[in-house]
């Protein structure tokens, strides 16, 4: 019986013990599998493997495939995952701007809410790859700091305030395809992709994204001219919530990345060996 099946039939403390044992055995099997497949070069800590197993609904074969895709992506996308030093000038600038902002707390369904400010950067000064790199660095740390919240899924609010033609021109079809593929490669899945403060012509732009999305992801896309459907007490004041402002969240996460510099050194060790 899978761990997922056991969870559905919990009645006694003995049942809980069985789930814990099955979970631990699953993590050990994944560790043994990684040992037998060194080219994947994945992290073998209990915390990491347990997170992948949980977000794959305790399906071992599905988890193995996710691990393969995730670590291959980290090898192939060196422009996002190499030299992830939060003190690099180009990263510092984007952290100050707040391109990717995890919100304090969770939504009404206990899912983690993040704000992606798609147009806060200057396309003449900041490359889109560095924007993605900074966002992935914050996401990686978020998964480490809040695994339980993230395991229930990510709700992403794409704030398009201030978007210009220059921002759209940065995103060629190849880069869009890579970005969309990265969403599926991560162990935590987007449960909602809500575009707000969207200009009238936004669907022309979003149609390119939709081409590369799975049907399930496409069904989770929402476009709004203003406001948000997300219910979360800690939404930033910039979105008419009661939580910390964009500026405050940007400073918080800038400091968090700076104090976790060693985390990125360690993370950089884990990526597949490409043939």
């Amino acid at each position: 019986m899978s761990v997922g099946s056991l969870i559905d039939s919990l009645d006694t403390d003995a049942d809980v013990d069985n789930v814990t044992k099955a979970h631990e055995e699953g993590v050990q099997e994944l560790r043994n599998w990684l040992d037998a497949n060194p080219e994947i070069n994945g992290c073998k800590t209990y915390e990491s493997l347990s997170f992948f197993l949980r977000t794959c609904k305790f399906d071992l074969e599905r988890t193995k495939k996710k691990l393969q895709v995730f670590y291959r992506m980290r090898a192939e996308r060196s422009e996002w995952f190499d030299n992830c030093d939060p003190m690099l000038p180009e990263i510092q600038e984007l952290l100050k701007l707040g391109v990717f902002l995890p919100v304090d707390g969770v939504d009404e369904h206990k899912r983690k809410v993040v704000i992606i400010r798609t147009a806060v950067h200057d396309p003449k000064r900041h490359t889109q790859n560095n924007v993605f790199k900074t966002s992935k660095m914050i996401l990686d740390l978020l998964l480490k700091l809040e695994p339980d919240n993230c395991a229930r899924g990510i709700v992403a609010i794409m704030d398009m305030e201030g978007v210009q033609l220059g921002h759209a021109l940065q995103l060629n079809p190849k880069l869009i395809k890579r970005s969309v593929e990265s969403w599926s490669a991560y162990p935590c899945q987007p449960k909602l992709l809500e575009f707000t403060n969207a200009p009238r012509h936004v669907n022309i732009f979003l149609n390119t994204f939709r081409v590369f999305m799975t049907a399930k992801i496409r069904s989770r896309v929402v476009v709004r001219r203003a406001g948000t459907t997300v219910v979360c007490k800690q939404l930033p004041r910039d979105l008419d919530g009661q939580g910390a402002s964009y500026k405050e969240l940007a400073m918080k996460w800038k400091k968090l990345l700076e104090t976790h510099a060693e985390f990125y050194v360690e993370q950089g060790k884990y990526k597949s060996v490409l043939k």
Side-chain angles (χ1 to χ4, degrees):
M1 180 181 290
S2 69
V3 177
S5 299
L6 282 170
I7 288 174
D8 293 335
S9 58
L10 289 181
D11 287 316
T12 66
D13 289 343
D15 291 329
V16 174
D17 290 341
N18 287 337
V19 169
T20 301
K21 182 179 179 182
H23 191 172
E24 291 176 350
E25 289 175 350
V27 169
Q28 186 57 51
E29 181 171 337
L30 291 173
R31 192 174 285 138
N32 294 340
W33 176 76
L34 286 173
D35 285 339
N37 296 274
E39 72 282 358
I40 296 173
N41 194 30
C43 179
K44 302 174 188 174
T45 65
Y46 181 88
E47 292 76 15
S48 177
L49 294 179
S50 177
F51 185 75
F52 272 90
L53 187 61
R54 179 179 175 184
T55 56
C56 290
K57 299 183 179 180
F58 304 98
D59 183 321
L60 279 169
E61 293 309 309
R62 180 177 169 184
T63 307
K64 291 174 183 178
K65 184 176 180 180
K66 177 69 72 172
L67 287 164
Q68 286 178 311
V69 171
F70 181 72
Y71 288 110
R72 184 174 183 85
M73 173 191 69
R74 297 184 79 90
E76 291 178 338
R77 301 276 69 79
S78 59
E79 64 272 25
W80 299 347
F81 297 107
D82 282 2
N83 196 21
C84 291
D85 181 354
M87 301 309 296
L88 288 172
E90 60 269 30
I91 303 300
Q92 282 281 302
E93 284 192 27
L94 293 166
L95 289 172
K96 289 177 184 176
L97 288 173
V99 294
F100 187 99
L101 301 172
V103 172
D104 297 333
V106 293
D107 75 349
E108 61 181 335
H109 303 295
K110 300 188 182 302
R111 304 172 300 190
K112 192 63 189 177
V113 180
V114 300
I115 312 293
I116 301 173
R117 301 174 71 197
T118 63
V120 71
H121 67 284
D122 181 351
K124 295 180 181 178
R125 180 178 179 87
H126 308 112
T127 69
Q128 189 64 49
N129 275 325
N130 277 339
V131 172
F132 285 152
K133 179 175 183 176
T134 304
S135 299
K136 304 300 183 192
M137 288 174 67
I138 297 171
L139 178 57
D140 286 345
L141 184 58
L142 177 63
L143 299 188
K144 171 183 171 60
L145 297 179
E146 299 189 39
D148 289 342
N149 291 335
C150 294
R152 289 187 286 268
I154 299 288
V155 170
I157 302 174
M158 315 284 194
D159 189 347
M160 303 186 75
E161 181 72 34
V163 70
Q164 300 174 7
L165 179 61
H167 295 104
L169 292 176
Q170 282 189 306
L171 289 162
N172 59 62
K174 180 185 290 187
L175 199 52
I176 290 174
K177 182 175 185 289
R178 289 173 176 176
S179 175
V180 172
E181 288 175 346
S182 74
W183 302 344
S184 298
Y186 265 83
C188 55
Q189 293 296 296
K191 300 299 184 181
L192 174 68
L193 296 170
E194 184 179 76
F195 292 81
T196 190
N197 294 319
R200 293 185 184 278
H201 59 271
V202 69
N203 277 312
I204 298 174
F205 173 67
L206 288 183
N207 282 342
T208 308
F209 275 87
R210 290 188 175 102
V211 168
F212 302 111
M213 292 177 181
T214 63
K216 180 180 288 187
I217 295 297
R218 282 197 299 273
S219 72
R220 296 172 178 175
V221 173
V222 174
V223 179
R224 295 177 60 85
R225 291 298 305 279
T228 177
T229 61
V230 176
V231 179
C232 173
K233 293 181 180 179
Q234 292 84 13
L235 278 179
R237 294 191 289 276
D238 310 74
L239 289 175
D240 298 325
Q242 300 176 3
S245 68
Y246 283 171
K247 184 176 181 180
E248 290 167 335
L249 288 172
M251 292 307 297
K252 170 186 174 178
W253 281 92
K254 178 176 177 291
K255 290 178 181 177
L256 279 171
L257 264 68
E258 291 169 357
T259 57
H260 286 82
E262 287 302 312
F263 164 75
Y264 295 103
V265 175
E266 182 67 18
Q267 281 283 98
K269 299 176 183 177
Y270 304 117
K271 55 187 175 183
S272 294
V273 179
L274 301 177
K275 296 180 180 179

